[in-house]
């Protein structure tokens, strides 16, 4: 049974998500539909990419992921099926694919299917569902699209790096108020090589100089930094959450896009 | 595999929706359960009808739709199974069926099943699930109810019309802040017959005199009017949303039930 | 097809819930996944236990319930599989099991499985999913854990009682603002034995002296007390909800943990 996941900024109050699900079930009754998120901030490619890139690898290879964020109907943004790591992604070539994969996907196809009438106002339902069901049924992308060599690039998630520092940012604030940065564990090890360091993200008082294993390495209410399940640096408050003692975003006054940097001790001190 | 959908104002925090799903799975394990929405404003027949009427046609014929809004336990409001366009609807005869179908449904049955003890406080679970599973299993409405000729009428969605104008209203504000009116494309064409027109919904400055194909026909941040995937007049801001640049509802200061009118040029000018 | 339910405080915006679902589908594709709630207030064992105890009995015996609230990674809180009333529960021994069952469960097993690397930051995905899929597949708890005789006790839901009164509390405020107390119908009957009574929960003016059958026993806008589908005393406003006329919590100024008491007439008056 093929799996189709849904990521969107459509919310769950309106009829949109249900209409998409109904259309999938009508076109391909065997599909197993799984919601990734429908609470992406409106029009945020960055949030959609962050959430989906941290969820999709848990699904079996062959899963088809519909991305209903900025589906674009301006006539200049192709709709695409993209294959990467054995997964399929259906969405508009609005820059999101480059955020999802840190660069170009393994294969990309511009959709050339005939479009339904209501294409212009609800392409997630009228275009993406059709393409996703085709792939989920075992169809090949070549039948519904033509291969292209590049997807549109959007300024990505990679931090700036030099010998003494990594300058990243808050990429995502989760619903507890935990701060997800764009600093991967591998980069931290490669640049730091075991040297002492200082993580700076707000007032000097809040600096962190230790990497923990997880939330519970510090007492409840204390700040903690660790590489999370997705191997990205996360700054959090143990047992803190917005509305329950205060999460990290609230206590440190940080938002998405705010800078987070790591300074390493000079080599001669290491 | 029969499909049962759920539309309610119960929210997704509490145990109510899960209890309904557990009851369905216990009574009819083969049912495929799909959420339409559980975020209908409390007790709003209008919102529930709007959301469901725009979602249900996407589902296959034979789908059973449970409506858990104003399920009523006053002893004077019958519980019903209604058949319309090949779909089944289970709910209370509180007026919602007339909103769903713009008039009387094809067939309506007042439920006469024996009721469980907790009928009085949670009929969506104790009554509607039982009826929906009966229908989903292939049972006939006649076995659990007696046919009636009318459902209760509630003041509906139809706009007022004369030779020069259509006087409608905002029927629903979606989560982006887009304004869904009760003015269908067919009526606009029938009354307008190609004449110039002016859509008025707030300050004169905001009047719109053009029907577009969709959001992207205007630059981001500009107002746009078009007939949407449900063939209803929608007024929106391209790439605008509540909290992200401002959606139409916010920028125009409009709410559900506020008037929207279209005035056509006099015939001698046409 | 085995059922796995999910109860958590993870919300539905982030990638967490989707990652858990992907992990389940990868490990046990036949699992039927049902959300109980992901909107539990952060770290609230009390809310999680209340919601799950009112939902789980609707599911078929053999269902596996994952509890992703306070999954704990402090090294001192065992992860458990618990069997009770023919259902299985997977979570951390943080006190929640005693709240779920009013005492000790029928059987409890401390998990002894080998742990994945990301154990420390996301045990709901890395530990609970593995255990839940093992049970859902028909595996026995003995294979993945060792039997223990007690789970941790947390101060529970039971009200204080004497011959003339029941002193309970608001255990949960639902999304309509209805007040769910910890006073069961059985206890009310046992202590009251038909005597007149007075339910006190705020200002004296708001006292209620009658038990109704349900919301609709009083006119819209009036307060009402009844034993709900879960046989617990509920205080509500008929057709009242937060944001729609005002729910009981709003109108009476009550929150979770606030006292609710019932005083019965002295025996010689009965």
């Amino acid at each position: 049974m093929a799996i189709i996941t849904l990521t969107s900024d459509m919310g769950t109050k309106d009829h949109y998500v249900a209409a998409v699900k109904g259309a999938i079930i009508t076109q391909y009754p065997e599909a197993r539909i799984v919601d990734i998120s429908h609470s992406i901030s409106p029009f945020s490619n960055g949030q959609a990419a962050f959430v989906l890139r941290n969820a999709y690898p848990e699904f079996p290879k062959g899963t088809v992921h519909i991305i209903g964020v900025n589906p674009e109907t301006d006539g200049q943004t192709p709709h695409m099926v993209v294959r990467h790591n054995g997964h399929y992604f259906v969405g508009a070539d609005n820059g999101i694919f480059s955020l999802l994969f840190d660069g170009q996907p393994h294969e990309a196809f511009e959709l050339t299917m005939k479009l339904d009438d209501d294409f212009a106002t609800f392409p997630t339902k009228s275009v993406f569902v059709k393409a996703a069901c085709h792939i989920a049924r075992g169809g090949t992308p070549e039948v519904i699209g033509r291969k292209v060599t590049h997807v549109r690039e959007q300024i990505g998630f990679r931090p700036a790096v030099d010998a003494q520092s990594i300058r990243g940012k808050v990429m995502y604030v989760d619903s507890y108020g935990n701060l997800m940065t764009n600093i991967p564990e591998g980069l931290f090890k490669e640049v730091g090589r075991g040297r002492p360091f200082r993580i700076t993200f707000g007032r000097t008082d809040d600096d962190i100089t230790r990497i923990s294993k997880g939330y519970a390495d510090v007492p409840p209410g204390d700040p903690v930094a660790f590489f999370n399940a997705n191997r990205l640096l996360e700054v959090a408050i143990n047992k803190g959450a917005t509305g329950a003692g205060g999460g990290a975003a609230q206590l440190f006054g940080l938002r998405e896009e705010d800078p987070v940097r790591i300074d390493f001790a000079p080599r001669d001190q290491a």
Side-chain angles (χ1 to χ4, degrees), chain A residues 166-195:
Chain A
I166 301 172
R167 296 177 306 283
K169 65 175 184 183
V170 176
M171 199 154 56
Y172 188 80
V173 177
D174 77 8
S175 60
Y176 299 89
N178 300 325
L179 304 165
M180 311 291 169
T181 76
N182 62 341
I183 303 175
E185 185 171 26
L187 186 68
F188 173 82
K189 285 184 172 162
E190 184 190 318
V191 176
R193 296 195 196 166
R195 288 182 286 169

Side-chain angles (χ1 to χ4, degrees), chain A residues 1 3 56-65 85-88:
Chain A
M1 184 168 62
I3 301 157
Y56 90 79
E58 302 292 342
F59 287 82
K61 303 262 181 193
T63 297
V64 184
H65 306 277
N85 289 337
H87 291 252
Y88 292 92

Side-chain angles (χ1 to χ4, degrees), chain A residues 71-72 74-80 91-94 97 110-111 128:
Chain A
E72 304 296 1
D74 55 13
Q76 290 156 16
T77 308
H79 292 152
M80 314 278 288
D93 190 22
N94 53 30
F97 296 119
E110 187 177 323
L111 293 178
F128 299 172

